[in-house]
Amino acid sequence: MSSEPEQLRSPSVWSVLFRHPAFLGAVIGILAAFSQALLISAGGPEAYGFCVACHTRDLVNGMTNIVTHTNLALAAISKNAILPVMSVVGVLIGGYLAARQYREHKIRKGTIREYAIYFVAGILVLNLAMIFGGCPYRAALRTGYGDLNAIAFIVAMAAGVILGAFLMLKRAEKEDG
Amino acid sequence: MATGILPTEAAVIAVPIVTLLLGLLIGYLAQRSGYCSIGGFRDYFLFRHTRLLSGYLTLIAASFTGYLLFWFFTPAAMEHFFWALSSGPAYPMPGAPGGLNAAAYLIFAIIPGFLVGFIAVLLGGCPIRQTVMASEGNYKAAWFFVGMCVGSILFAAIVSGWVVSLMRALGFGV
């Protein structure tokens, strides 16, 4: 970690808070509610303040609709607005700026096989998330909004993670022994 | 029709701007904290680390607090807050393919939830972590993002229709 010595020198409350996931969780939760309060007149659905999968879908399909005059499905808020929701573009730029600022930007290449796996996994994850109607983040927002299906999603997701992590553990143990 | 703070004419212009700013802030902080929902459950299960998990649990708590707060100030924008009470416990929130009964939406929550968790943990991150890693220069994560973009068009063009027909054929139509 490049910023580790800095933290040892001056571990101010702000710098610790700033780097803590719980702080970001609070920021997303409050701002997602704020953005709904601000923008809901443009269209639904509710509890749609932040979602990586849905907002990617809206961005890609909205832009495709504008450029090629097709009629791909997207959320009402993106359909009614002059441009679709841009939060994923923001995440990409914000992540890039932070990585640049703290010298953590580094090209990491993989093999063609890995690229193919990640590409197919991207298609799968997006489609599965859209069948539910949201990625893990919108599931959290929906839970906060009082949707019981979203709680089922989170519990099922935790079960999937535990199975996957268990398989990874088994494989690592096999490689060690 | 729900009405927010901004009137419709202003809101349609504000949508891309506000979401872009929101995304910038989230992307910046996510890069600093290594925020990941899947990673939270994984780290807790494997190492009993609660750092990332606290981020996800705080998100749930903060979104409830945020919606509650703005529900007091702008009740018209939070028309169906306390969804399960205001819309019925089994009525699904819009987002998934429409025209099916409540049982179908519970299945849509459980099976995709399980598979998303399983696939994402094998890849080493949830969608936001992959997006942030792509912006850090990770080519594998960038291909994941490209896959999500292609997947959005596939979902709207083909998969959504398949899923609805399949569920109707299985007797989950309304």
Side-chain angles (χ1 to χ4, degrees), chain A residues 127-174:
Chain A
N127 280 284
L128 289 165
M130 290 319 304
I131 288 172
F132 162 65
C135 70
Y137 297 97
R138 189 164 181 241
L141 296 181
R142 280 168 61 165
T143 304
Y145 210 68
D147 184 6
L148 300 181
N149 283 346
I151 299 175
F153 179 89
I154 293 174
V155 171
M157 186 180 79
V161 170
I162 288 171
L163 179 67
F166 183 71
L167 292 182
M168 281 164 73
L169 202 64
K170 282 280 159 229
R171 202 170 58 183
E173 277 170 3
K174 205 189 257 177

Side-chain angles (χ1 to χ4, degrees), chain B:
Chain B
M1 184 71 192
T3 44
I5 296 168
L6 293 177
T8 309
E9 302 79 41
V12 294
I13 299 167
V15 164
I17 303 163
V18 170
T19 51
L20 181 66
L21 293 176
L22 189 72
L24 274 172
L25 180 66
I26 292 171
Y28 191 92
L29 290 175
Q31 201 281 330
R32 296 317 303 145
S33 57
Y35 195 79
C36 181
S37 58
I38 304 282
F41 290 110
R42 180 199 58 202
D43 287 357
Y44 183 74
F45 176 68
L46 290 180
F47 316 114
R48 292 289 180 266
H49 286 179
T50 52
R51 184 181 161 89
L52 283 176
L53 188 62
S54 74
Y56 193 61
L57 297 181
T58 314
L59 170 59
I60 298 174
S63 63
F64 176 72
T65 316
Y67 286 125
L68 190 67
L69 192 72
F70 285 99
W71 180 63
F72 277 123
F73 290 128
T74 55
M78 308 283 159
E79 222 173 1
H80 303 98
F81 187 47
F82 303 117
W83 185 268
L85 297 176
S86 60
S87 309
Y91 188 75
M93 190 173 272
L100 299 168
N101 65 14
Y105 291 101
L106 193 60
I107 293 170
F108 282 177
I110 291 169
I111 294 175
F114 186 79
L115 291 174
V116 164
F118 184 70
I119 296 171
V121 76
L122 294 183
L123 298 180
C126 67
I128 196 177
R129 185 78 194 118
Q130 300 289 349
T131 313
V132 169
M133 287 201 299
S135 71
E136 285 174 354
N138 186 323
Y139 278 31
K140 287 188 281 185
W143 275 103
F144 181 89
F145 187 75
V146 174
M148 288 215 299
C149 294
V150 174
S152 346
I153 295 181
L154 282 179
F155 179 77
I158 310 167
V159 178
S160 174
W162 282 353
V163 170
V164 172
S165 332
L166 176 70
M167 295 306 277
R168 286 225 172 104
L170 292 173
F172 289 101
V174 262

